C-alpha cells in the first residue's frame, strides 16, 4: 500500500551514513563495478568519480572497447579492467547505464553474487523488468515513461507502482524527486537547485547512491541520502554549475553530516 511521502531530510537517514572503522580496510567500504559507457565515456567518469569520492572503498570501471580512454581520463584511484565481470572480486554494487548501456551486457546484470545490489540508470532501466535482487532505478520522467509506458498518475503514485512492479527502489528525478521503495515507503526531496538541469548531473547522482550502498546503507536510505546530498552540492555551487562541481563538494558535505 502506498504511504504518504515524508520530506527527505537528513533526519531520515543520517544515523545510517557510513562511518569507516579505524581498523577497517578498503573492502569493508565496498567494491563498486561500473559498466563503462560504449561511447559517452564522460558519463561513466562522472559516476565513477562521485562513487569514489562519497567513500566506496574500491571502484572498478569495466570496459571492452574504451578501456584505454578510461585509463587515460579517470583519476588514478579508479581501476579499469577489460575482462569479464566474473573476474572481479568481492563486488558489492554494480552500476550500469550512465552514458549508455548495450543490451548484449544484460546477462552481466544477472550474474552477480546474491548479495550484490544493482544501481541502474538511463538505458539500463528499460531492460530491467523485475528482480529477485536488491535494485535501485534512477529514471528522469522521460526514461520512466519509456520503461513504464502504462504507469500514469501523480509522480508519487507512479514511483510507488514502479517500485512494487520491479521490486526495486525507484528514484524518479525532478524538482521534487520521489524516492519509493517496494511496499510503500516513500520520501519526496525538494532540497535541490534549478542549476541541476545540466548534462551529467544524473550520472553523479547514480555514482553517489552506488557508493553509499557499497558502504552498507540499505538501498532506500542510500537513495534518500544520495538525492539530498546531490541537491545540497548543487545549492552550494549555484550559478555556473557543471556536473563535476558536484563531486568536488562531497567532502565538505560529508564533513558537516558526520561531525
Amino acid at each position: 500500500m502506498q504511504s504518504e511521502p515524508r520530506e527527505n531530510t537528513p533526519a531520515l537517514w543520517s544515523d545510517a551514513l557510513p562511518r569507516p572503522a579505524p581498523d577497517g580496510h578498503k573492502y569493508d567500504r565496498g567494491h563498486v563495478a561500473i559498466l563503462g559507457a560504449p561511447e559517452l565515456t564522460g558519463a561513466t567518469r562522472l559516476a565513477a568519480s562521485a562513487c569514489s569520492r562519497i567513500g566506496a572503498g574500491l571502484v572498478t570501471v569495466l570496459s571492452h572497447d574504451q578501456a584505454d580512454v578510461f585509463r587515460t581520463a579517470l583519476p588514478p584511484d579508479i581501476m579499469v579492467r577489460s575482462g569479464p565481470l566474473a573476474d572481479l572480486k568481492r563486488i558489492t554494487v554494480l552500476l550500469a547505464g550512465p552514458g549508455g548501456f548495450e543490451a548484449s551486457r544484460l546477462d552481466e546484470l544477472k550474474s552477480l553474487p546474491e548479495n550484490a545490489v544493482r544501481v541502474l540508470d538511463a538505458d539500463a532501466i528499460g531492460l530491467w523488468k523485475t528482480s529477485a535482487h536488491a535494485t535501485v532505478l534512477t529514471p528522469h520522467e522521460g526514461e520512466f515513461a519509456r520503461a513504464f509506458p502504462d504507469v500514469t498518475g501523480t509522480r508519487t503514485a507512479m514511483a510507488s507502482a514502479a517500485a512494487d512492479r520491479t521490486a526495486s527502489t525507484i528514484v524518479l528525478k525532478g524538482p521534487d524527486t520521489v524516492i519509493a521503495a517496494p511496499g510503500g515507503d516513500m520520501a519526496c526531496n525538494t532540497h535541490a537547485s534549478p542549476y541541476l538541469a545540466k548534462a551529467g548531473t544524473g550520472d553523479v547522482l547514480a555514482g553517489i547512491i552506488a557508493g553509499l550502498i557499497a558502504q552498507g546503507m540499505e538501498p532506500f536510505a542510500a537513495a534518500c541520502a544520495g538525492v539530498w546530498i546531490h541537491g545540497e552540492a548543487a545549492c552550494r555551487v549555484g550559478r555556473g554549475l557543471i556536473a563535476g562541481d558536484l563531486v568536488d563538494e562531497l567532502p565538505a558535505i560529508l564533513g558537516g553530516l558526520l561531525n
Side-chain angles (χ1 to χ4, degrees):
M1 177 181 294
Q2 178 184 336
S3 62
E4 286 298 314
R6 296 169 287 172
E7 180 65 26
N8 186 31
T9 69
L12 290 181
W13 39 261
S14 60
D15 287 346
L17 279 175
R19 292 162 171 81
D23 59 347
H25 55 79
K26 63 186 177 185
Y27 283 109
D28 288 337
R29 302 179 70 180
H31 179 191
V32 180
I34 302 177
L35 299 186
E39 294 183 1
L40 303 179
T41 59
T44 303
R45 288 156 53 194
L46 287 165
S49 295
C51 188
S52 184
R53 186 70 79 177
I54 203 68
L58 183 63
V59 179
T60 301
V61 170
L62 188 66
S63 175
H64 303 307
D65 299 327
Q66 303 286 358
D68 288 343
V69 173
F70 288 122
R71 289 189 179 101
T72 302
L74 279 168
D77 59 288
I78 296 171
M79 298 199 306
V80 179
R81 303 289 191 190
S82 55
L85 182 65
D87 286 352
L88 299 186
K89 298 178 180 179
R90 302 167 72 172
I91 298 173
T92 313
V93 178
L94 177 67
L95 172 58
F101 179 76
E102 298 168 300
S104 60
R105 306 190 78 172
L106 186 60
D107 285 345
E108 293 182 85
L109 300 184
K110 301 176 181 179
S111 64
L112 290 176
E114 288 293 322
N115 61 343
V117 179
R118 294 148 183 83
V119 177
L120 307 182
D121 186 37
D123 293 345
I125 294 170
L127 296 171
W128 194 254
K129 302 304 182 185
T130 189
S131 174
H133 308 282
T135 307
V136 179
L137 308 179
T138 62
H140 57 56
E141 286 192 352
E143 292 162 346
F144 187 95
R146 289 191 291 274
F148 307 101
D150 60 326
V151 177
T152 60
T154 65
R155 287 171 55 78
T156 54
M158 291 192 300
S160 181
D164 287 339
R165 176 182 296 185
T166 61
S168 302
T169 296
I170 302 293
V171 179
L172 180 53
K173 296 180 289 193
D176 56 342
T177 294
V178 179
I179 307 102
D185 203 2
M186 192 179 312
C188 184
N189 188 87
T190 57
H191 181 68
S193 163
Y195 294 106
L196 279 172
K198 187 79 172 179
T201 58
D203 306 310
V204 172
L205 175 60
I208 292 172
I209 294 171
L212 290 172
I213 294 172
Q215 297 172 81
M217 290 189 81
E218 293 298 321
F220 178 73
C224 290
V227 169
W228 189 93
I229 291 169
H230 185 253
E232 172 66 12
C235 290
R236 293 188 182 202
V237 175
R239 294 180 179 87
L241 180 151
I242 60 173
D245 295 336
L246 303 174
V247 179
D248 295 337
E249 293 293 329
L250 296 178
I253 295 170
L254 287 174
L257 290 169
L258 294 172
N259 287 340

